[in-house]
């Protein structure tokens, strides 16, 4: 494994190796001194062309806990604002000797292109509406941690699938790992290609909830919407929001997830988001260990 660009590129064994390695690294994160010397002398560049809180901070924390040198690049305030291209930015980083480049970009496919221009490993931290593979890995890790298994789990992914790289990566990864995924959304928020995805599709959240072990709510990505995809925020919430009444339809062991950032009161009520059966805060913590595992497996080898 040289790059981590799509969750669909991972075999079952590769995905399980990342999750198992993260589990070992999680034990280190529980110690008072969290640092390991594993990536000493390696350089990780975080290249963020789009805003991020969780992914950017957790990749930085992950690289630092493994003792890598970290260079944080944000498009805002860089020469990108003077028109410098992704390729020229990448070649500049290449000259600094990056062993790994973590990239978030608004264009689907940007990490794939970057992998042709740099010698180091490329990790996709979210590209347009395409993929967010480390989010899917940390989600799978969080499900396994809470429920003890992935094989046969019934996972409902609910909401703005059309604009969601998280949904696509989760469908690909979870199907590889033996979970049964159902996407639940209004027809306007499903991509046309969804019939080729390895999952079921439903428009009826109330029918899906009682059978689900995991309900993953997606953020309504208003900033990517250039048309009216639903009549009003209120109507969306009424049909597809997870509020107290809908939460009551879940079985007792079912968990609620959200990748963040949340629109509280729209796709999820504050009461549900903050309930003990919500894994939202755990997901953020697990993001650090899963990203440590990905960096370690990609650039931690003897021959790097
Ligand atoms: N889940 C996620 O990708 O969050 P950020 O946009 O804050 O990184």
């Amino acid at each position: 494994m040289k790059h981590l660009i799509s969750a669909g590129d991972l075999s079952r064994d590769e995905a399980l190796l990342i999750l198992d390695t993260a589990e070992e690294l999680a034990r280190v994160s529980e110690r008072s001194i969290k640092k390991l010397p594993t990536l000493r002398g390696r350089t990780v560049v975080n290249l963020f062309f789009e805003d991020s809180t969780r992914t950017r901070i957790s990749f930085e924390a992950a690289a630092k806990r493994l003792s890598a040198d970290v260079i944080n690049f944000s498009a805002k305030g860089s020469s990108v604002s003077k028109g410098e291209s992704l390729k020229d930015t990448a070649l500049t980083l290449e000259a600094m000797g990056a062993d790994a480049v973590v990239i978030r970009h608004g264009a689907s496919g940007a990490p794939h292109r970057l992998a042709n221009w740099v010698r180091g490993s490329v990790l996709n931290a979210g590209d347009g509406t395409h993929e967010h593979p480390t989010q899917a890995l940390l989600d799978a890790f969080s499900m396994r941690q809470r429920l003890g298994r992935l094989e046969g789990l019934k996972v409902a992914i609910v909401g703005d699938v059309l604009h969601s790289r998280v949904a696509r990566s989760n469908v690909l990864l979870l199907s590889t790992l033996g979970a049964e995924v159902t996407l639940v959304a209004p027809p306007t928020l499903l991509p046309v290609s969804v019939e080729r995805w390895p999952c079921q599709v439903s428009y009826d959240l109330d029918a899906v909830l009682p059978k689900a072990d995991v309900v993953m709510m997606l953020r309504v990505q208003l900033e990517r919407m250039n048309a009216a995809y639903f009549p009003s925020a209120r109507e969306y919430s009424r049909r597809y929001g997870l509020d107290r009444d809908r939460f009551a339809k879940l079985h007792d062991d079912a968990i609620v997830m959200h990748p963040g950032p949340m629109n509280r009161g729209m796709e999820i009520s504050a009461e549900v988001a903050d309930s003990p059966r919500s894994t939202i805060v755990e997901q953020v913590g697990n993001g650090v260990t899963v990203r440590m595992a990905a960096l370690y497996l990609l650039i931690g080898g003897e021959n790097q």
Side-chain angles (χ1 to χ4, degrees):
M1 199 170 32
K2 161 96 176 164
H3 306 295
L4 180 51
I5 292 176
S6 164
D9 292 340
L10 294 170
S11 67
R12 187 172 183 279
D13 285 350
E14 286 169 334
L16 288 174
L17 178 63
I18 297 173
L19 300 186
D20 293 344
T21 305
E23 211 166 275
E24 281 177 40
L25 292 167
R27 286 185 210 112
V28 177
S29 300
E30 283 161 16
R31 293 193 212 145
S32 55
I33 296 172
K34 297 178 170 49
K35 224 166 164 91
L36 287 172
T38 323
L39 295 186
R40 196 150 51 202
R42 306 267 200 273
T43 300
V44 175
V45 174
N46 290 320
L47 190 56
F48 279 72
F49 290 85
E50 262 193 350
D51 294 342
S52 167
T53 298
R54 283 147 282 269
T55 312
R56 187 173 55 81
I57 291 172
S58 60
F59 261 117
E60 183 176 351
K64 285 181 172 169
R65 281 190 196 168
L66 294 172
S67 304
D69 294 321
V70 179
I71 298 171
N72 289 316
F73 172 96
S74 158
K76 279 190 196 119
S78 77
S79 289
V80 170
S81 59
K82 299 176 199 159
E84 189 164 33
S85 67
L86 174 61
K87 182 171 184 179
D88 287 333
T89 306
L91 294 178
T92 304
L93 299 169
E94 181 70 6
M96 292 177 193
D99 296 291
V101 182
V102 175
I103 178 170
R104 170 167 290 193
H105 201 286
S108 300
H112 186 77
R113 302 212 68 189
L114 183 68
N116 294 322
W117 299 324
V118 296
R119 276 191 295 270
S121 293
V122 173
L123 292 95
N124 181 0
D127 62 328
T129 58
H130 178 229
E131 282 229 35
H132 195 351
T134 58
Q135 178 70 45
L137 284 160
L138 76 88
D139 290 338
F141 183 90
S142 304
M143 288 177 211
R144 194 173 74 163
Q145 190 178 54
R146 275 277 188 127
L147 301 172
R149 68 193 167 99
L150 290 165
E151 189 81 45
L153 271 191
K154 291 187 168 36
V155 181
I157 301 180
V158 185
D160 184 1
V161 177
L162 181 66
H163 301 105
S164 178
R165 50 200 178 201
V166 174
R168 187 192 300 265
S169 287
N170 262 292
V171 167
L172 294 172
L173 183 70
L174 289 169
S175 66
T176 299
L177 293 171
E180 296 165 26
V181 181
T182 303
L183 295 173
V184 187
T188 49
L189 288 177
L190 286 165
V192 280
S193 60
V194 77
E195 65 222 30
R196 296 197 297 274
W197 293 21
C199 61
Q200 305 285 313
V201 174
S202 169
Y203 309 131
D204 186 351
L205 180 55
D206 292 310
V208 170
L209 287 180
K211 291 174 254 165
D213 301 304
V214 178
V215 184
M216 184 185 296
M217 302 308 294
L218 299 173
R219 184 169 68 88
V220 178
Q221 299 194 34
L222 297 166
E223 76 280 13
R224 294 192 204 272
M225 293 187 184
N226 51 11
Y229 290 90
F230 43 83
S232 66
R234 196 185 159 97
E235 176 64 10
Y236 179 88
S237 274
R238 200 179 64 75
R239 293 283 308 276
Y240 293 99
L242 189 61
D243 59 10
R244 184 201 308 191
D245 292 343
R246 287 220 164 88
F247 185 66
K249 294 185 178 178
L250 291 169
H251 69 68
D252 289 347
D253 297 325
I255 58 170
V256 175
M257 307 182 77
H258 193 301
M262 288 179 271
N263 298 308
R264 283 177 184 253
M266 190 165 183
E267 70 264 3
I268 190 166
S269 72
E271 190 181 348
V272 174
D274 299 333
S275 88
R277 279 160 56 200
S278 153
T279 63
I280 296 167
V281 177
E282 276 157 55
Q283 283 169 261
V284 177
N286 290 337
V288 178
T289 42
V290 164
R291 288 171 177 130
M292 283 170 79
L295 286 169
Y296 168 71
L297 291 168
L298 288 178
I299 62 166
E302 291 293 316
N303 300 323
Q304 296 293 319

